[in-house]
Amino acid sequence: MATFDIFVLPGDGIGPEVTAEGVRALEAIGQRFEHVFNFEQDLAGGAAIDAHGVAIRPETLERAKQSTAVLFGAVGGPKWDNPTAAVRPEQGLLALRRELGLWANLRPVKAEPALMHSSALKPEVLAGVDMLVIRELTSGIYFGTPQERRVVNGRREAIDTDYYNEDEIARVAHLGFRAARERRKQLTSVDKANVLASSRLWREVVVEVAAEYPDVKLEHVLVDAMTMHLINRPSSFDVVIADNMFGDIITDEASVLGGSMGMLPSASLGTLGEDGLGLGMYEPIHGSAPDIAGKGVANPLAMFLCTAMLLRHSCGLEDEARALEGAVARAVDDGLRTADIAAAGERTLGTREMADAVLERIGA
Ligand code: IPM
Ligand code: MG
């Protein structure tokens, strides 16, 4: 019987509600497939600021490093929204990414036929959308130094630095090409090479890496054009790679294609072992959604899909991951809806009811 240590960081807003369902999903999988999942939990984000004055404590980061995987809810909310505050909830998330060396963020986006009505785009544009966006996560303008605010000659100014080195770019490129090989063999690299030096290096390194993957078709797209293409021809994309900042922006845009942000998982991974497995952090992309926090109406499906990714990438349990993904798909096919994915007049379920419906369908 295999044992896995799952470190749970529910965070803020709807984070605790959905991570509780993620834990139940893993328990259900453990029972059915005879694995043991041990859970430990700690505070992150606003909850940690309230309790400890920092967005994440050093001992929490240490504990996270020792785990098989981190299940993460969401951080942030109006209570901690002051952008000039020295301590902000998002710092917890950024510290986890950086300290755990999670340099690749995988965000799969699929348009579910049953949910196309809840997207702002036409069904004929959405048909066939199935892409994997891989965002670089521990470098670029998020972490480059200097990053500071200062007063010079009595005038406020601020500086951010967009830094990349070739190793940071090459490993994302390799991951993208390898993923494309397993899929439709197309890779789109997003940059702003017509303006930024860091993007010109990005493009140069991606082209060098491409030589090792002659079977994959590579296209370069400038980020501004990409925002248009994602709306005009979203089904033409297979695997997309982008730096930290551009990846942040285009994945929010791409999430619209999936019908609801409440459906989309993400995995943050570092350098994997020989077996293709490694420590990862799994987090729905919907965020803390303070407007619906505590109401029991949040969609748990993104979190379920996160736990499936956790089973796949950190535990090596592919069958179990598919069982969970299958259960989510069956619940959606059976017409079960939380408010965010319901058409007008459709009956809606709360978080717990939806989760129960999925868990009943595991292995069905
Ligand atoms: C995301 C979020 C984070 C980011 C914020 C909360 C720091 O937008 O994961 O996409 O910008 O990376
Ligand atoms: Mg974002």
Side-chain angles (χ1 to χ4, degrees):
M1 215 189 263
T3 300
F4 304 99
D5 290 317
I6 310 301
F7 193 47
V8 184
L9 294 171
D12 309 316
I14 60 170
E17 294 161 59
V18 296
T19 40
E21 302 307 334
V23 167
R24 287 177 70 225
L26 289 173
E27 280 169 342
I29 290 285
Q31 255 174 23
R32 178 168 293 259
F33 293 86
E34 304 199 342
H35 305 297
V36 177
F37 294 98
N38 296 321
F39 298 98
E40 253 188 69
Q41 190 165 313
D42 205 349
L43 301 175
I49 293 176
D50 288 352
H52 306 295
V54 287
I56 193 152
R57 290 178 301 159
E59 55 262 51
T60 309
L61 290 170
E62 264 326 294
R63 183 63 196 78
K65 278 184 204 165
Q66 307 309 320
S67 63
T68 310
V70 179
L71 197 60
F72 192 92
V75 289
K79 184 175 174 194
W80 310 278
D81 248 357
N82 175 8
T84 60
V87 180
R88 283 167 286 116
E90 292 75 14
Q91 291 164 342
L93 186 56
L94 297 179
L96 279 159
R97 291 172 178 171
R98 184 79 168 185
E99 292 295 313
L100 274 53
L102 306 175
W103 50 264
N105 185 222
L106 277 50
R107 298 187 170 185
V109 178
K110 247 189 202 177
E112 288 290 339
L115 299 181
M116 283 179 183
H117 61 82
S118 51
S119 173
L121 298 189
K122 298 188 195 98
E124 57 268 33
V125 174
L126 293 174
V129 167
D130 178 3
M131 73 180 89
L132 172 66
V133 184
I134 302 178
R135 165 189 175 192
E136 198 289 325
L137 204 57
T138 52
S139 188
I141 202 162
Y142 274 59
F143 294 99
T145 50
Q147 179 178 68
E148 65 190 32
R149 214 183 128 114
R150 57 200 179 197
V151 178
V152 175
N153 297 331
R155 191 172 59 174
R156 286 168 296 168
E157 59 179 39
I159 180 167
D160 292 289
T161 303
D162 202 352
Y163 169 94
Y164 271 103
N165 67 47
E166 57 182 313
D167 300 338
E168 292 167 339
I169 300 167
R171 62 191 180 184
V172 171
H174 279 289
L175 193 62
F177 279 110
R178 284 202 302 270
R181 236 180 206 169
E182 303 292 313
R183 298 171 45 108
R184 301 195 307 275
K185 299 192 169 43
Q186 288 177 52
L187 183 71
T188 303
S189 175
V190 175
D191 63 38
K192 187 70 185 173
N194 53 347
V195 177
L196 302 176
S198 56
S199 276
R200 283 192 287 276
L201 180 64
W202 179 280
R203 193 176 285 211
E204 193 176 309
V205 173
V206 170
V207 168
E208 286 161 14
V209 171
E212 293 177 45
Y213 305 88
D215 51 324
V216 176
K217 188 170 167 285
L218 170 67
E219 69 168 338
H220 304 279
V221 179
L222 296 172
V223 65
D224 48 350
M226 186 66 183
T227 63
M228 277 195 315
H229 299 328
L230 273 174
I231 300 299
N232 286 329
R233 54 170 179 98
S235 62
S236 72
F237 298 105
D238 179 15
V239 179
V240 177
I241 55 172
D243 78 6
N244 206 344
M245 179 86 263
F246 299 151
D248 177 47
I249 296 168
I250 64 169
T251 52
D252 262 27
E253 188 186 14
S255 75
V256 174
L257 307 168
S260 164
M261 266 197 156
M263 295 297 297
L264 296 182
S266 83
S268 301
L269 304 172
T271 304
L272 303 175
E274 297 253 295
D275 54 1
L277 304 177
L279 169 62
M281 180 161 78
Y282 301 86
E283 175 194 355
I285 83 152
H286 51 57
S288 61
D291 51 323
I292 56 164
K295 297 189 176 154
V297 299
N299 186 345
L301 298 185
M303 180 51 88
F304 276 4
L305 296 173
C306 283
T307 54
M309 291 183 95
L310 180 157
L311 293 165
R312 174 173 295 125
H313 297 292
S314 288
C315 305
L317 301 176
E318 180 62 31
D319 291 347
E320 289 79 346
R322 290 198 184 172
L324 196 50
E325 287 165 349
V328 168
R330 277 190 290 278
V332 170
D333 285 347
D334 291 346
L336 302 176
R337 301 284 184 266
T338 43
D340 59 310
I341 52 173
E346 255 180 336
R347 190 174 104 82
T348 61
L349 302 181
T351 308
R352 179 50 56 92
E353 294 166 290
M354 183 60 139
D356 285 343
V358 173
L359 296 183
E360 277 165 23
R361 286 167 173 77
I362 291 179

